[in-house]
Amino acid sequence: MFMAAYIPDFPAEALARLEPDLRSQALAVIEGVPPMVTVIAMNDRARAADIEPGMTDMQAQERLRHACEPKRWHLRRRSPDQEAAAHAALLDCAGAFSPRIEDTAPDTVIADIAGLEPLFGMPSTIARNLARRSSDAGLEVHVAVAANPDTAVHAARGYSGITIIPPGNEGQRLGPLPLEVLLAPRYGKVAKEERATWLRELEMIDTLDRWGVRTLRGLAAVPEIAVVERLGQAGLQWRRFASGTARRELVLNEAALEFEEVCELEYPVDLLEPLAFLLSRMLDQLCARLQSRALATHELSLRLQLDPDVTVDREGLPVETSNEIRKDAVVPHISPLSGDLRTRNSKLVTRNLKLPVPMLDSRTFLKLLQLDLKANPPTAPVLKLWLRAEPVRPKFDQRGLFLPLTPEPQKLEITLARLAGVTGQGNVGSPELHDTHRPDSFRMLRFAPPVPDYGTNGDTPAVKPTSALRRFRPPQPVSVQMINDRPGTIGPPRTPANGEQMSRAVYGEVTWCAGPWRTSGEWWNHEPWEREEWDVAVDGGRWTVNRKAVSTGTLWVHGIHVEAATTSGPPSTVHCPLLRLYRDVLAGTWFIEGEYD
């Protein structure tokens, strides 16, 4: 058994997929370059208004204006990108039921459902489930099931809804259909390589009409020899189609899986709220397609085509082309037949969203994209959107009964995105030390919860007591007097830092020192560094803190907790017996890095 799915009025249905309101209004799809702009497809409401293919856009506009209520009709340009996305969604829906899929036409696919009854039920059940899944993906399809693929295709083109043809009844069910169902739908200008076949098929339809044959039943009743003598092998093939006796093997689809949704806007959008509404529809379609393939995604890529007519942003600054597009990035296809000069030489902006684990939650994706666009808003109104998902296998993690609960990945990712919006990009994550000897050199990585190790028995190894250095952040600037090439006296810095609300000083004579330990690096680039370190003991060393105003009862000075001094009271002191001292050789300044416990 074979199941065929057909999308009627394919160009119009592709546009209505992301804008469901268009289905309740008259919609005509136009194509061409002015002044040769013609109608190539329309929905049923536009057809009821006497809109016909080949009509000019001015004629169609005049008829729609008289036949429909104001704001209840639309003339839209054809969108090849949205048609490609609709075709890919149809393949995904069919692939959810069978691995044997034929990509018959942009609006038609065939699935081999033989032997799938134990998994999905009877053929009628499979057909209903396919129609339901296609509706969830934003497509209204006609589904037919028959014993051979061509009969299923012609029944899907001729009958609306779901059609089940039992074996042996092919000719009877196909008989009332007109001969036009044998023609593959073609919209707009026919390609040169297909023009000869198209004209020959039209000539055969005209010949059969002169014979008085206008239905498939009439064609099947014509003797086979007479058909071959007058119409050749093409006529014989048509007769087999009409009788439902054609047999062939499927040409299986082997195209790579790509999950991308495209939305072309009739008018530019410059606000984030309507942009989020469009993204919500696109994310729902993407998630439905991924779910039909039992996949998830760990990376989303959003591309925005900005209006080239806008030269300044909302703050009056000149708009510059985004540098976020890589040199190897694929430029989205723009149809040369669109006739819309706005889409040419437009600026493109790319935003990538990488997730720590594979997800399939459209609400979470929408919230993350909203936070990202809020932090990095487009500099001009948006004309077109591309949303792409990288498919991966979903990850299932079973947590232990005795391990602490961790937040859900979706909620954790939203929380991190909100923190990044407050603190700035690159300031939220997990720190990782660089592979260098430079002190305090690190980078921020994406935060991911640690994976629990179920192989350990939970025993904690004994830790030997060692001396610890209590580091000051930032280090305390001081001045040092050298005696015999060794630190002799430590005092306050000669030039205190600007903008400080308190003055600090460390002073005393050095009674013991060890060092120096010299390190350097990165002399080969524009950020070299060099330092020498000393361990020193200060005789009677004190931290002196003089505050101008105190509003709290306690004070922390670079890791050391002291009592706050009042305006009239004496300074507070803490004894520091052993310190880590270092000198920035290139800058010539001294700092106290910390205190040994």
Side-chain angles (χ1 to χ4, degrees), residues 2-320:
F2 297 89
M3 177 175 61
Y6 167 69
I7 304 177
D9 306 323
F10 182 61
E13 185 65 23
L15 293 175
R17 181 166 172 259
L18 293 177
E19 299 179 65
D21 294 340
L22 294 179
R23 291 194 176 94
S24 61
Q25 305 172 14
L27 173 63
V29 183
I30 57 178
E31 185 182 39
V33 179
M36 298 301 296
V37 179
T38 58
V39 176
I40 62 170
M42 73 290 298
N43 60 5
D44 292 336
R45 293 183 179 271
R47 195 175 290 110
D50 296 332
I51 303 299
E52 299 176 356
M55 200 179 272
T56 64
D57 58 341
M58 298 300 295
Q59 293 174 335
Q61 184 175 357
E62 189 67 21
R63 289 194 181 184
L64 290 172
R65 183 181 292 111
H66 286 86
C68 303
E69 299 178 0
K71 298 183 179 181
R72 299 293 296 177
W73 59 272
H74 297 273
L75 280 178
R76 292 290 185 87
R77 286 197 167 272
R78 186 178 187 177
S79 174
D81 291 332
Q82 288 184 251
E83 292 179 15
H87 175 65
L90 183 62
L91 287 174
D92 294 333
C93 293
F97 299 94
S98 174
R100 292 173 51 84
I101 303 296
E102 179 184 271
D103 187 0
T104 308
D107 56 0
T108 308
V109 297
I110 305 175
D112 184 0
I113 60 173
L116 297 181
E117 289 83 357
L119 292 176
F120 301 108
M122 300 299 293
S124 58
T125 304
I126 299 177
R128 286 194 298 269
N129 291 337
L130 174 60
R132 185 182 302 110
R133 186 177 290 273
S134 300
S135 179
D136 294 339
L139 299 172
E140 299 298 330
V141 300
H142 298 170
V143 183
V145 178
N148 61 77
D150 294 308
T151 300
V153 170
H154 298 144
R157 291 174 180 172
Y159 294 107
S160 61
I162 299 174
T163 305
I164 308 297
I165 301 179
N169 293 344
E170 291 85 356
Q172 180 180 358
R173 293 298 303 273
L174 294 178
L177 297 178
L179 291 176
E180 283 73 16
V181 299
L182 300 178
L183 301 177
R186 291 178 173 87
Y187 303 98
K189 187 177 180 180
V190 180
K192 292 183 179 180
E193 56 273 11
E194 298 180 357
R195 184 178 298 275
T197 302
W198 176 252
L199 294 177
R200 185 169 59 252
E201 291 176 346
L202 292 179
E203 184 180 354
M204 289 175 58
I205 291 287
D206 185 62
T207 301
L208 291 172
D209 182 70
R210 289 198 302 268
W211 291 359
V213 177
R214 298 177 179 84
T215 63
L216 298 186
R217 180 180 290 111
L219 179 58
V222 179
E224 184 174 317
I225 297 178
V227 172
V228 175
E229 289 176 349
R230 293 166 176 80
L231 300 179
Q233 292 298 320
L236 177 60
Q237 186 68 18
W238 273 28
R239 186 185 182 280
R240 291 174 180 174
F241 289 157
S243 60
T245 58
R247 295 290 185 271
R248 68 177 179 89
E249 294 293 331
L250 294 182
V251 181
L252 300 182
N253 177 48
E254 298 180 355
L257 294 179
E258 293 185 358
F259 298 89
E260 185 177 37
E261 293 293 332
V262 184
C263 181
E264 294 187 20
L265 304 179
E266 189 175 8
Y267 301 100
V269 173
D270 58 351
L271 298 179
L272 294 182
E273 185 175 355
L275 195 63
F277 177 77
L278 296 173
L279 289 175
S280 176
R281 292 289 305 175
M282 299 173 71
L283 287 170
D284 290 340
Q285 306 298 350
L286 269 182
C287 291
R289 291 176 55 187
L290 289 168
Q291 187 178 12
S292 65
R293 296 282 188 173
L295 296 174
T297 182
H298 69 297
E299 182 177 356
L300 290 174
S301 178
L302 174 64
R303 287 182 291 175
L304 305 175
Q305 179 178 308
L306 306 183
D307 191 350
D309 297 334
V310 178
T311 57
V312 295
D313 59 10
R314 298 177 179 87
E315 299 179 356
L317 301 177
V319 175
E320 298 181 358

Side-chain angles (χ1 to χ4, degrees), residues 24 95 104 292 320 360 365 377 400 407 410 447 457 475 497 534 548 592:
S24 61
T104 308
S292 65
E320 298 181 358
L360 193 61
F365 297 154
Q410 295 87 343
F447 174 77
N457 55 8
W534 298 79
K548 297 180 180 179
I592 293 181

